[in-house]
Amino acid sequence: MLFVSRLIAFTMLSASISLASAAPFFEVEAICRTAIASIMGRDPKIMQVTRTVGDVLFLTYVRPTDNFVWTYRCRIEGNRVVWAGEPGRWRDDPNDEKVFFEVIEGGRQLRIIEDHGDSSSTKQLFDREQIL
């Protein structure tokens, strides 16, 4: 009986070590920065989280051509990214495009998917190095 309990303890410890050593997933900030960058056709590294209010992140970037500062809001609902311009309305109307994310390749890549509502979609894949 002692052998069985030690075997169970060892198995549980091994499983927790495997989970702990797995590649880390993306933080909410990285997901929002990448999603907004994808939507706007920008580099995720220029997106900056400037503040957080509850579960809403405020992001800005400076357009290089004229130094105009653009501001957006973002929140995560499951695997969906809901966003809004600042000022502006949330893109959560049934007729709005829906934006989703997937963490793939063991946390090494982030895929942003825009469902356009007409059965078409756009998918963009970002390596961890492109984001962080």
Side-chain angles (χ1 to χ4, degrees), residues 39-77:
I39 294 164
M40 300 303 153
R42 301 293 173 190
D43 180 348
K45 288 187 177 182
I46 70 169
M47 297 289 169
Q48 301 293 316
V49 175
T50 56
R51 70 184 167 122
T52 303
V53 177
D55 64 345
V56 177
L57 280 66
F58 289 77
L59 300 97
T60 62
Y61 80 91
V62 178
R63 186 168 52 197
T65 56
D66 60 4
N67 291 327
F68 188 84
V69 178
W70 293 89
T71 305
Y72 300 93
R73 291 173 285 154
C74 176
R75 68 178 187 260
I76 304 296
E77 296 177 355

Side-chain angles (χ1 to χ4, degrees), residues 66-108:
D66 60 4
N67 291 327
F68 188 84
V69 178
W70 293 89
T71 305
Y72 300 93
R73 291 173 285 154
C74 176
R75 68 178 187 260
I76 304 296
E77 296 177 355
N79 70 328
R80 184 173 176 191
V81 178
V82 182
W83 68 280
E86 180 61 27
R89 67 177 184 81
W90 286 102
R91 301 320 197 270
D92 58 2
D93 186 81
N95 295 323
D96 289 329
E97 295 179 345
K98 292 176 179 51
V99 180
F100 300 96
F101 70 92
E102 296 175 333
V103 177
I104 59 173
E105 295 297 322
R108 290 189 301 272

